[in-house]
Amino acid sequence: MTVVIVLREAVTPAERWRLVERVGESAATVQVHSPTLLSAGGDAAAVQAAIGADPAVHSVAAIPADYPKAARASAPRGTTLRVGPLTVGGGEFAVIAGPCSVESRDQLLTTARAVHRAGAHALRGGMFKPRTSPYSFQGLGAEAVDLVVETKEVTGLPFVSEIVDVRDVEVMAECVDVLQIGARNMQNYALLREVGMTRIPVLLKRGLAATVDETLLAAEYLLDGGNDQVAICERGIRTFENSYRFTLDLAAVAVFRERTHLPIVVDPSHAAGQTGRVMPLALAAAAGGADGIIVESHCDPATAKCDGNQALPTGDLPELMRRLEYAVSAAGRRLVPHRPGLHRVAGAPRPVPQDAPVRIAS
Amino acid sequence: MTVVIVLREAVTPAERWRLVERVGESAATVQVHSPTLLSAGGDAAAVQAAIGADPAVHSVAAIPADYPKAARASAPRGTTLRVGPLTVGGGEFAVIAGPCSVESRDQLLTTARAVHRAGAHALRGGMFKPRTSPYSFQGLGAEAVDLVVETKEVTGLPFVSEIVDVRDVEVMAECVDVLQIGARNMQNYALLREVGMTRIPVLLKRGLAATVDETLLAAEYLLDGGNDQVAICERGIRTFENSYRFTLDLAAVAVFRERTHLPIVVDPSHAAGQTGRVMPLALAAAAGGADGIIVESHCDPATAKCDGNQALPTGDLPELMRRLEYAVSAAGRRLVPHRPGLHRVAGAPRPVPQDAPVRIAS
Amino acid sequence: MTVVIVLREAVTPAERWRLVERVGESAATVQVHSPTLLSAGGDAAAVQAAIGADPAVHSVAAIPADYPKAARASAPRGTTLRVGPLTVGGGEFAVIAGPCSVESRDQLLTTARAVHRAGAHALRGGMFKPRTSPYSFQGLGAEAVDLVVETKEVTGLPFVSEIVDVRDVEVMAECVDVLQIGARNMQNYALLREVGMTRIPVLLKRGLAATVDETLLAAEYLLDGGNDQVAICERGIRTFENSYRFTLDLAAVAVFRERTHLPIVVDPSHAAGQTGRVMPLALAAAAGGADGIIVESHCDPATAKCDGNQALPTGDLPELMRRLEYAVSAAGRRLVPHRPGLHRVAGAPRPVPQDAPVRIAS
Amino acid sequence: MTVVIVLREAVTPAERWRLVERVGESAATVQVHSPTLLSAGGDAAAVQAAIGADPAVHSVAAIPADYPKAARASAPRGTTLRVGPLTVGGGEFAVIAGPCSVESRDQLLTTARAVHRAGAHALRGGMFKPRTSPYSFQGLGAEAVDLVVETKEVTGLPFVSEIVDVRDVEVMAECVDVLQIGARNMQNYALLREVGMTRIPVLLKRGLAATVDETLLAAEYLLDGGNDQVAICERGIRTFENSYRFTLDLAAVAVFRERTHLPIVVDPSHAAGQTGRVMPLALAAAAGGADGIIVESHCDPATAKCDGNQALPTGDLPELMRRLEYAVSAAGRRLVPHRPGLHRVAGAPRPVPQDAPVRIAS
């Protein structure tokens, strides 16, 4: 257990220092993460007793692992990732769609226009692809930059893409608005440190055998580097079941919500492995309380260079958006399409307060 | 692979016999399951070729494992489990709620009345409890019969309860409308055979390490016995993640839908393990295409003899029903509360055809 | 946590009662399992403090779950299962071999003779087979009794066979010396209760998704019924890896050893799924500290009615026995073949004391 | 399936080219990996038929995934990793031991001397530690170089250490003889590519949720880069069981043996998580057919900066070596201690041929 101690905004350095000393007497370790955030390791009960009713303290909470900055206790009302028309968190539901990988000018532009028309909030697309086999298509790499820049001008959509090498930050920064850290690199700490030193928003995917707490510890690497625009992405874990690719873990969405203030996105595509299962899982994620989805969509899945059999044809995006409205209403969220044309579901449940999104008092 | 061969309704015994012979020449085994259902093992392509365009044949399909009767191919439009006001499948969404175990007259009646008032369609409650420890409360057993009979008279709700011993069929038949086979007994073949010989509807829970296909093979035991009122229940599988009890596998709902005609229910309670996570998972299940949920609910969770920390207080049931309406609309289903008082969501997507519930053409 | 309290042999009823009272003041529950074994639930530290240095108490230990009778604390030197030439536990290594199922007089006798000749200690063979598909061969059932009786007379080997139905105890008792409870029935509590009421030795297989503690809780059902001739069998758990059937969990052998006094057998056959992998896994189990193995072996695997591709040809048994001698020596155990002809490995490490078999002081 | 085609040594370029053409007519893709190694994707049966009895072809085999260079078919007799006194593969059993991390001159030297004295073949020690929490000790980094250089001079042992960042190759090359790629980086393809371009031997750890085939695909990245000194390391996978850290998968050792020519090492320490379980697992690995072990050992585990509770005290190493002799004999291998003082087990089974190490004809 780690104890997270949030100080009042008006705390003076002297008060802070006095508190650090007092906590230090009962804790094994004390860390100062920011002017208003401390954490302490050791005996949680002893630390909490030592703090007592100190007037400098706003709130105290024990968390299951060592991620004071990612812990909900440090920002109980939740945080939000924002880039242009994309808002992840804060009661709005975000839709990120696009192809597995950038393949050609034609493919990217056609898909992006359809994504834009459907009202989604951001475009995804792989430039550097981490592939299980060294002999598979590895993405266009830096050659994709110009295509992406052009596509962003045409659609106005921010662009989400995966980074796989610490040395690629600079080239990706030319066109990428949200850096994705993929499931296979979730515990590539060199990469987390490097991306944590930038100020580019990050979508951190849960590793395929990572627990909720390990995922938040990976997020802590990013936050500890100073990058506070971070969203978590549940994308399916590995289990014994092999009738699909991964087991989408929607219970984890609720647990992430309890433990972190970071917004939570769900990727229904990689788990599904098959087009027909993507929409049910996307709707389930929305009704289950996610802050958004990132979905693979392609203008012509049959010709896709990778993952074509799980890509939603762009022609299905309007139907997805229409159904999502009902699903997000069930969870007390709003879906505001990037372009007008879709309306709120009449009489939907009122949005639940952000600090306890879908939770019902027990 | 097993090949399922559905014959035309008007097939004559002579035609059927001729077909069996012809199939038998290319197949390793042939079985006659009913006047209009055959199956063949061996080389699927050879069998399909042998059948060719036989006029006696309505349809032919290869399925991943040996469950011809449970396979969707044998009843492409889906089947429905019906008991009184409870309809599972057929485009309607069913809500089964009630306590983990029957504890007392007062507890059962109070809970049942609240379940009824909220508009749920059936009452659940354990009489014989399978407990991990021999020293835990094992249920009231046969003593619960009178309480259940009385409660059913008061509320009119059918009663769902788990059977754990082949010798209990008779006593349970006195008051139970739907026999549940629990996750730990999913491969208790003696029990499956015994229950398959009754005509009492069955809710078959997926084992906590059972694949989709193994679950359908367990269902096949029931169907092979002649009991065709069967629903499958996804309740969470065991994975490495331990921040909750089980990993609710909503991707499996979509896969079950593809592979079987049996209706599919989701139990969000056992996976959640904590009250605050039950509603998000229930909503996710509904939006993800389930035909119903079975949820633990208690009039006073704090005093529950088992699983109190995952029981939804009955006071939260109306809110659950209200939110479910939106979630089931997303999936193209209807929630018709048992008693009036709740209304359809305005302008919801039209129900999708039963034979391809939430699937979008790919 | 449960606290196990072992009393001195000479304790009087009055002393015992006084202790129960004293423990009861600090514990939530107290149970008297035998004249010298109590257990208490609740706050372990408080209970241990309450007991202090009571002269009636031999030893006290907190265990991770509620299995006081299976806990090593209740019999620190370990227990042994004995039937004729079969000794499981106590420093000797036991080899149980035989076919997946009893198929015919010829098959059983031929296999049994080879098993006997190789020096194995018991014969296994299925009479009632739990099969995933209702259409697979389900065993000869009661028809196998006479064949088994004859085979036992010829070879003198005790017979191990699986029970799948509470109603089969009587018929199986006619010829079975060790009742096996299979992995799929490990949490079939009705069956555990029924077998616990007999005095027939039991081989309890770990469920394919059962934790070490859940397995010991299942054993507790047997012990609580009064049957104290119980051995645990590790046979592989279900994981994401599918290049073999199950993941043999040899780390669990060490953990079982720490937590229980019951002897531990390993089944290398069901995990391997392929003949060529059985011997390496059998040797690994022996060197890793198991008390014995149960291995599928068939006089003619190519014709076996089930699991032929994982059956060791009986012709390989002598080689297995020869290699096992080295492997068990590594673990400080002895392999004493049922019939003479094999010798001890010269200069092997001396047997380690039974209460800490392969453990090295840390 | 990928088809691996090994050509005769004496093949001419013209013959090779003719064969590539012929294969190309029936395969989807053909790749030339070396003068004597081709691979083809597509319909395996068609490719094999097309090749027929071509005199230029030495052997043809279909493998489960796309790793022609790692496949056993490409080097049926197995390959060996050699650095100084360390030989992994080729019938000898290798022991690599040392601390989790390099902490100080005193700790490293004391531990290394004990490792040397016990007869182990190489020293392990972390310089750059990948830690789950950003606030844990991250290793001495480059500061460890001088300590390692000195220690190697004193003991003559080659040094094995983990690389976590593509930019660290140069500094590590100053003192590291075998670069370890850790489980969390097994699918860090940028790192695999970088290390594949060096000629430093590599110990590639299986990812904690990686299948056997995915691990071999990761090895293929290394081999494809031209680095052919590669050993695979099984170190435990993640499963539902949490009474230890990871589930050591010894069945995978047998499967790796079938599928690859690369030598296979087992790490018993990270799975065990507790000192008392390390020796049983090390012995199990040896008897189960591994080519070596890498074990955490510390001169004073109580003061270790990381993983102290799973470190074997160096004082236990002689006992481990003594027991290992018996275990490796069971598997038909030899343990040749780096320094004299230990003797062969008398009368052990003769070593089995390298191309089918522990396999018994089926």
Side-chain angles (χ1 to χ4, degrees), chain B:
Chain B
M1 299 294 275
T2 293
V3 178
V4 177
I5 306 155
V6 182
L7 307 186
R8 294 190 188 284
E9 297 268 319
V11 71
T12 65
E15 288 172 319
R16 187 186 315 120
W17 192 240
R18 178 179 43 73
L19 189 71
V20 167
E21 271 193 298
R22 194 204 292 186
V23 170
E25 281 163 22
S26 57
T29 58
V30 188
Q31 285 194 289
V32 180
H33 298 281
S34 78
T36 56
L37 181 64
L38 311 182
S39 69
D43 179 341
V47 170
Q48 288 176 303
I51 292 171
D54 193 303
V57 172
H58 174 267
S59 61
V60 181
I63 59 173
D66 194 18
Y67 44 78
K69 288 174 177 158
R72 175 162 281 273
S74 72
R77 300 184 60 82
T79 52
T80 305
L81 181 156
R82 283 184 216 274
V83 193
L86 176 69
T87 300
V88 189
E92 290 192 30
F93 190 84
V95 179
I96 305 167
C100 175
S101 64
V102 176
E103 298 169 12
S104 68
R105 182 171 182 278
D106 194 45
Q107 172 247 16
L108 190 63
L109 270 173
T110 308
T111 301
R113 281 195 178 108
V115 165
H116 180 235
R117 226 171 13 243
H121 309 90
L123 181 69
R124 59 150 288 158
M127 299 165 62
F128 299 89
K129 298 298 303 174
R131 301 304 297 275
T132 311
S133 165
Y135 309 122
S136 300
F137 172 61
Q138 314 262 325
L140 294 183
E143 290 177 40
V145 171
D146 289 348
L147 303 182
V148 172
V149 169
E150 180 186 355
T151 304
K152 287 172 60 176
E153 283 171 7
V154 170
T155 61
L157 293 172
F159 187 66
V160 182
S161 198
E162 178 170 357
I163 182 164
V164 298
D165 191 322
V166 289
R167 298 165 298 196
D168 291 340
V169 168
E170 208 170 332
V171 67
M172 297 197 78
E174 291 178 36
C175 65
V176 175
D177 301 285
V178 179
L179 284 172
Q180 178 184 306
I181 300 205
R184 286 169 182 75
N185 277 314
M186 193 203 84
Q187 293 187 311
N188 177 344
Y189 300 114
L191 186 62
L192 292 170
R193 287 273 189 221
E194 199 72 26
V195 172
M197 283 187 292
T198 74
R199 291 300 170 267
I200 308 174
V202 187
L203 186 66
L204 174 67
K205 287 200 162 181
R206 180 185 184 189
L208 46 90
T211 62
V212 163
D213 284 338
E214 286 169 348
T215 308
L216 295 178
L217 284 161
E220 190 79 6
Y221 270 88
L222 296 165
L223 299 171
D224 188 47
N227 192 339
D228 63 0
Q229 285 281 296
V230 177
I232 301 291
C233 181
E234 161 61 36
R235 47 76 75 200
I237 58 174
R238 191 156 261 183
T239 71
F240 65 84
E241 178 61 63
N242 56 23
S243 59
Y244 44 70
R245 284 183 74 191
F246 299 100
T247 301
L248 193 67
D249 183 5
L250 293 179
V253 174
V255 179
F256 275 124
R257 180 78 65 208
E258 296 164 11
R259 298 193 182 171
T260 187
H261 56 80
L262 300 171
I264 304 144
V265 171
V266 170
D267 167 358
S269 303
H270 284 84
Q274 224 172 276
T275 302
R277 301 166 186 170
V278 172
M279 198 175 297
L281 288 177
L283 298 172
D291 294 307
I293 55 170
I294 177 166
V295 62
E296 290 194 354
S297 186
H298 196 286
C299 55
D300 183 10
T303 67
K305 286 198 180 175
C306 68
D307 284 352
N309 57 340
Q310 76 196 21
L312 208 62
T314 46
D316 287 348
L317 289 176
E319 174 74 6
L320 172 63
M321 294 296 282
R322 197 167 67 91
R323 289 179 179 271
L324 275 174
E325 277 208 281
Y326 286 85
V328 306
S329 292
R333 279 185 178 66
R334 286 184 312 278
L335 175 65
V336 185
H338 178 29
R339 283 172 58 119
L342 290 170
H343 304 285
R344 291 297 320 286
V345 175
R350 65 176 174 74
V352 286
Q354 172 62 1
D355 50 338
V358 206
R359 196 149 181 286
I360 296 305
S362 59

Side-chain angles (χ1 to χ4, degrees), chain C residues 329-352:
Chain C
S329 291
R333 279 185 178 66
R334 287 184 312 279
L335 175 64
V336 185
H338 178 28
R339 284 173 57 119
L342 290 170
H343 305 286
R344 291 297 319 286
V345 176
R350 65 175 176 75
V352 287

Side-chain angles (χ1 to χ4, degrees), chain A residues 85-234:
Chain A
L86 176 69
T87 300
V88 189
E92 290 192 31
F93 190 83
V95 179
I96 305 167
C100 175
S101 63
V102 176
E103 299 170 11
S104 68
R105 182 170 181 277
D106 194 45
Q107 171 248 18
L108 189 64
L109 269 173
T110 309
T111 300
R113 281 196 178 107
V115 165
H116 179 235
R117 228 172 10 242
H121 309 89
L123 181 70
R124 61 149 288 157
M127 298 165 62
F128 299 88
K129 298 298 302 174
R131 300 304 296 275
T132 311
S133 164
Y135 309 121
S136 300
F137 172 60
Q138 313 263 326
L140 294 184
E143 290 177 41
V145 171
D146 289 349
L147 302 182
V148 171
V149 168
E150 179 186 356
T151 304
K152 287 172 60 176
E153 284 171 6
V154 170
T155 61
L157 293 173
F159 186 66
V160 183
S161 197
E162 179 170 357
I163 182 164
V164 298
D165 191 321
V166 288
R167 297 165 297 194
D168 291 339
V169 168
E170 206 170 333
V171 66
M172 297 197 78
E174 290 177 37
C175 64
V176 176
D177 301 285
V178 180
L179 285 172
Q180 178 184 305
I181 299 205
R184 286 168 183 75
N185 276 314
M186 193 203 84
Q187 293 187 312
N188 177 345
Y189 299 114
L191 187 61
L192 292 170
R193 286 275 188 220
E194 199 72 25
V195 172
M197 283 187 291
T198 74
R199 292 300 170 269
I200 308 173
V202 187
L203 186 66
L204 175 67
K205 287 200 160 181
R206 180 186 184 189
L208 45 89
T211 63
V212 164
D213 284 339
E214 286 168 349
T215 308
L216 295 179
L217 283 161
E220 189 78 6
Y221 269 89
L222 295 166
L223 298 171
D224 188 46
N227 192 338
D228 63 359
Q229 285 281 296
V230 177
I232 300 291
C233 181
E234 161 62 35

Side-chain angles (χ1 to χ4, degrees), chain A residues 278-291:
Chain A
V278 173
M279 199 175 298
L281 288 177
L283 298 172
D291 295 307

Side-chain angles (χ1 to χ4, degrees), chain A residues 245-292:
Chain A
R245 285 183 73 190
F246 298 100
T247 301
L248 193 67
D249 182 5
L250 293 180
V253 173
V255 180
F256 275 123
R257 182 77 65 208
E258 296 166 10
R259 299 193 182 169
T260 187
H261 56 79
L262 299 171
I264 303 144
V265 171
V266 169
D267 167 358
S269 303
H270 284 83
Q274 224 171 277
T275 302
R277 302 166 185 170
V278 173
M279 199 175 298
L281 288 177
L283 298 172
D291 295 307

Side-chain angles (χ1 to χ4, degrees), chain D residues 227-280:
Chain D
N227 192 338
D228 63 0
Q229 285 281 295
V230 177
I232 300 291
C233 181
E234 162 61 36
R235 46 78 75 198
I237 57 174
R238 191 156 261 183
T239 71
F240 65 84
E241 178 62 63
N242 56 24
S243 60
Y244 44 69
R245 283 183 74 190
F246 299 100
T247 301
L248 194 67
D249 182 6
L250 293 178
V253 173
V255 180
F256 276 124
R257 181 76 67 208
E258 297 165 9
R259 298 193 182 169
T260 188
H261 56 79
L262 300 172
I264 303 143
V265 171
V266 169
D267 167 358
S269 304
H270 283 84
Q274 223 171 279
T275 302
R277 301 166 186 171
V278 172
M279 198 174 298

Side-chain angles (χ1 to χ4, degrees), chain C residues 84-286:
Chain C
L86 176 69
T87 300
V88 190
E92 290 192 32
F93 189 84
V95 179
I96 306 166
C100 175
S101 64
V102 176
E103 298 170 12
S104 69
R105 182 170 181 277
D106 194 45
Q107 172 248 17
L108 189 64
L109 269 172
T110 309
T111 301
R113 282 196 178 107
V115 166
H116 180 235
R117 227 170 13 242
H121 309 91
L123 181 70
R124 60 150 288 157
M127 299 165 61
F128 299 89
K129 299 297 303 173
R131 301 304 297 275
T132 310
S133 164
Y135 309 122
S136 301
F137 173 61
Q138 313 263 325
L140 293 184
E143 290 177 41
V145 171
D146 289 349
L147 303 182
V148 172
V149 169
E150 180 186 356
T151 303
K152 287 172 59 176
E153 284 171 6
V154 170
T155 61
L157 293 173
F159 187 67
V160 182
S161 198
E162 178 170 357
I163 182 165
V164 298
D165 192 320
V166 288
R167 297 164 297 193
D168 291 339
V169 168
E170 207 170 332
V171 67
M172 298 197 77
E174 290 178 37
C175 65
V176 175
D177 301 286
V178 180
L179 284 172
Q180 178 185 304
I181 301 204
R184 286 169 182 75
N185 276 314
M186 193 203 84
Q187 292 187 311
N188 178 344
Y189 300 114
L191 185 62
L192 292 169
R193 287 271 188 223
E194 198 74 24
V195 173
M197 283 187 292
T198 75
R199 291 299 170 270
I200 308 173
V202 187
L203 186 66
L204 174 67
K205 288 201 161 181
R206 179 186 185 190
L208 47 89
T211 63
V212 164
D213 284 338
E214 285 168 349
T215 308
L216 295 178
L217 284 161
E220 189 79 6
Y221 270 88
L222 295 165
L223 299 171
D224 188 47
N227 192 338
D228 63 0
Q229 285 279 297
V230 177
I232 300 290
C233 181
E234 162 61 36
R235 45 77 73 198
I237 58 174
R238 190 156 261 182
T239 71
F240 65 84
E241 178 61 65
N242 55 23
S243 59
Y244 43 70
R245 283 183 74 190
F246 299 100
T247 301
L248 194 66
D249 183 6
L250 293 178
V253 174
V255 179
F256 275 124
R257 182 77 65 207
E258 296 165 11
R259 299 194 182 170
T260 187
H261 56 80
L262 300 171
I264 303 143
V265 172
V266 169
D267 167 358
S269 304
H270 283 84
Q274 223 171 279
T275 302
R277 301 166 186 171
V278 172
M279 198 174 298
L281 288 177
L283 298 171

